[in-house]
Amino acid sequence: MERQIHIEPVTRIEGHGKITVFLDSAGDVRDAQFHVTELRGFEQFCVGRTMWEMPGLTARICGICPVSHILASAKACDAILAVRIPETAQLLRRLMNLAQLVQSHALSFFYLSAPDFLLGWDCDPATRNVVGLIAARPDLARKGIRLRAFGQEAIDRLGGKRIHPAWAVPGGVNQALSQEDRAWMTERLPEARTTIQETLALFKSAFGDTKERDVLGDYPSLYMGLVRQDGAWEHYEGVLRIVDAKGRVVREHNPAQYAEIIQEASEPWTYLKFPYYQPMGYPEGMYRVGPLGRINACDRFDTPLAQAELEEFRAQSGGRSGRVFDYHYARLIEILAAIEEMAELLADDRITSPAIRAEAGVNAREGVGVHEAPRGTLIHHYWVDQNGIIEKLNLIVSTGHNNLAMNRAIREIAKIYIKKGKVSEGILNRIEGGIRAYDPCLSCSVHAVGRMPLRVEIVNAQGEVEATLSRD
Ligand code: MG
Ligand code: NI
């Protein structure tokens, strides 16, 4: 007789979903599925609105990453205006994207995942959270909270409003950076850099050899991310590069033509689509995005501290890493890179120029905006009429790209930790940990609003739910 194990809610991820583990007659894992069960149709209800509203509207897709949608949307609109935005607007958008990367990665690491590393995978779930972290490691928790607050405050000062800043607009941005805000950010960068360097040192000394680094899943895949023309790590523009498990370049493509290489499959049991690399087919064309995707895709970092970390990371991984756990490591390296680039941008006197917006009308009937959100490549694609009214749109959100890989991760972990039908709380947390490493944003994934819990269930060969595991 076959059984299924369902886990819900999956805690400490952004959003809502459900995991089902399918057992065979011996009680061993046959398969696992990560369901995303909520859908709100931004791709439908934005039709008929004007392109000028799109950055503000699509920011409402998600309370967690509005900044990412605003930037992708503004870029798609730039393409419809057919303008080259002022260089200061370009620098400011980069600065905003980096601030978002710092705050989002800090949230993922310190609030959502560090409790597993510091308090133990088997400790009481009631204390395995940021409150428990504050009690056990107040100094580290305080630094992590301050690092995230720095990113949030930088977004606030750039955009004028922390949540849903209507700041990036078609053609540029709508508010220049003041000398006061430039100085505020500049003065806080050294503390942020020290925090992330200390955290990297702790991560490498204390967490690198844990068993979980291997058991959260280690499997080959393609990796995707934007890189600069010269192959350096990039987050705002550049070429879309796909590499194989050894880091060999499989494809470099114009991001505006993403549809030539990325297609989306659907499965009846989830609202989250399954993007795949089209030339390899479905599901063989599985690729990964986000921190590990980007650092595996690039040749190098352009800033010295992040580059030194990348060299160390690659030396110990023997090249590219396929380990799910290394998403955490990559996330920390990216925070360091972001802080280094923020320092460069803030030192550039062009950053406070008031020339921040190109004015134009509708000059193209189609526009694609692609950039690297914290969780991975974010794609907004709009088709408009001659008045700029949206006729059609396609969104491929960061979490979606990792859908195949997340399903693979939970199957790998479940196979190791569930034998002959035996399951324990610590095992469930490891399955969730595999998902958490990808830091999925389920609000975005289904273009839905708000946060909801997530579950795990066990079902038998007759399709009967044998157990439902949830912790709320
Ligand atoms: Mg879509
Ligand atoms: Ni989101």
Side-chain angles (χ1 to χ4, degrees):
M1 183 207 279
E2 255 183 34
R3 293 192 301 150
Q4 294 181 18
I5 301 174
H6 295 259
I7 305 181
E8 55 185 331
V10 170
T11 53
R12 285 180 286 140
I13 63 171
E14 302 294 352
H16 169 236
K18 186 176 84 174
I19 289 169
T20 307
V21 178
F22 297 88
L23 302 185
D24 62 19
S25 53
D28 294 331
V29 174
R30 179 174 64 77
D31 198 6
Q33 290 175 343
F34 179 47
H35 314 252
V36 176
T37 53
E38 185 77 4
L39 178 70
R40 255 203 226 179
F42 268 81
E43 283 169 331
Q44 279 78 49
F45 73 64
C46 287
V47 171
R49 308 300 289 258
T50 81
M51 58 169 279
W52 304 98
E53 296 176 275
M54 291 303 283
L57 270 178
T58 56
R60 268 70 181 177
I61 289 172
C62 184
I64 309 296
C65 35
V67 169
S68 301
H69 287 290
I70 273 189
L71 290 173
S73 181
K75 289 188 77 176
C77 293
D78 298 342
I80 291 168
L81 303 183
V83 293
R84 185 173 56 82
I85 72 168
E87 63 184 6
T88 294
Q90 189 90 348
L91 299 176
L92 287 170
R93 286 187 188 175
R94 293 187 74 92
L95 190 59
M96 178 69 102
N97 206 30
L98 294 165
Q100 163 74 348
L101 188 143
V102 169
Q103 80 83 15
S104 178
H105 281 6
L107 174 69
S108 170
F109 186 82
F110 291 98
Y111 288 69
L112 307 179
S113 289
D116 292 329
F117 314 145
L118 286 161
L119 307 176
W121 293 79
D122 297 304
C123 96
D124 181 357
T127 59
R128 201 177 50 213
N129 51 41
V130 75
V131 177
L133 187 66
I134 290 166
R137 296 291 296 264
D139 187 51
L140 180 76
R142 196 186 121 265
K143 286 176 177 174
I145 289 166
R146 281 179 63 84
L147 180 63
R148 179 175 184 230
F150 164 71
Q152 284 182 304
E153 175 80 17
I155 290 167
D156 204 352
R157 284 173 179 259
L158 278 163
K161 194 161 68 146
R162 185 173 300 161
I163 304 297
H164 307 317
W167 170 78
V169 289
V173 301
N174 69 8
Q175 182 183 302
L177 178 66
S178 70
Q179 290 295 357
E180 185 201 336
D181 288 337
R182 179 191 187 188
W184 185 92
M185 286 180 225
T186 305
E187 284 160 16
R188 278 152 188 85
L189 282 170
E191 180 191 328
R193 190 172 54 236
T194 301
T195 292
I196 200 60
Q197 287 181 299
E198 288 174 2
T199 307
L200 265 162
L202 176 69
F203 185 87
K204 288 184 281 187
S205 63
F207 311 137
D209 290 328
T210 65
K211 199 166 153 247
E212 278 72 20
R213 189 161 179 199
D214 295 320
V215 302
L216 287 192
D218 183 358
Y219 44 87
S221 72
L222 302 171
Y223 302 97
M224 184 174 86
L226 291 174
V227 296
R228 237 166 46 181
Q229 295 290 346
D230 65 3
W233 179 86
E234 176 52 57
H235 58 94
Y236 180 75
E237 54 195 349
V239 295
L240 199 53
R241 179 190 274 186
I242 291 181
V243 301
D244 69 12
K246 301 256 183 251
R248 290 175 297 226
V249 175
V250 172
R251 188 89 167 222
E252 285 193 340
H253 210 74
N254 177 350
Q257 268 124 39
Y258 73 93
E260 293 172 358
I261 58 168
I262 296 169
Q263 288 190 359
E264 294 178 279
S266 295
E267 295 285 0
W269 43 269
T270 175
Y271 278 123
L272 185 53
K273 288 179 185 169
F274 292 84
Y276 60 98
Y277 178 59
Q278 190 274 333
M280 286 176 64
Y282 177 77
E284 288 73 22
M286 174 176 82
Y287 60 88
R288 288 188 263 182
V289 301
L292 190 67
R294 285 187 289 261
I295 79 164
N296 277 341
C298 75
D299 297 329
R300 63 193 167 77
F301 280 94
D302 197 33
T303 51
L305 298 175
Q307 174 58 17
E309 294 293 342
L310 180 65
E311 285 170 18
E312 190 180 339
F313 175 77
R314 286 197 176 155
Q316 62 163 263
S317 299
R320 265 59 174 181
S321 169
R323 278 186 297 247
V324 174
F325 188 83
D326 283 340
Y327 265 89
H328 300 297
Y329 194 169
R331 205 165 273 130
L332 296 179
I333 295 173
E334 285 199 327
I335 293 176
L336 183 57
I339 288 166
E340 287 182 287
E341 190 185 329
M342 287 179 84
E344 288 177 359
L345 289 166
L346 288 163
D348 187 332
D349 284 331
R350 293 175 300 175
I351 199 81
T352 49
S353 163
I356 51 174
R357 185 169 188 182
E359 302 282 353
V362 174
N363 292 304
R365 298 290 290 276
E366 187 180 345
V368 178
V370 179
H371 77 99
E372 290 292 330
R375 295 171 174 85
T377 314
L378 176 61
I379 301 172
H380 280 217
H381 188 176
Y382 309 152
W383 290 261
V384 297
D385 71 8
Q386 70 277 10
N387 299 313
I389 304 296
I390 301 284
E391 293 181 321
K392 182 177 148 191
L393 69 151
N394 185 34
L395 308 172
I396 303 183
V397 296
S398 315
T399 295
H401 298 289
N402 282 334
N403 199 6
L404 278 170
M406 288 190 294
N407 276 276
R408 172 73 181 264
I410 57 171
R411 192 166 75 237
E412 301 280 318
I413 298 162
K415 276 182 177 166
I416 294 169
Y417 280 100
I418 301 176
K419 298 278 190 200
K420 299 196 184 348
K422 287 221 165 88
V423 189
S424 78
E425 208 296 313
I427 288 169
L428 293 183
N429 193 43
R430 284 167 178 81
I431 294 173
E432 293 181 353
I435 295 288
R436 266 202 300 280
Y438 286 96
D439 190 26
C441 187
L442 299 181
S443 301
C444 276
S445 310
V446 291
H447 314 157
V449 178
R451 302 184 56 173
M452 281 164 282
L454 208 155
R455 314 172 170 207
V456 180
E457 289 179 350
I458 312 181
V459 188
N460 63 26
Q462 284 73 46
E464 297 156 348
V465 177
E466 206 169 276
T468 297
L469 306 162
S470 65
R471 284 203 271 272
D472 57 349

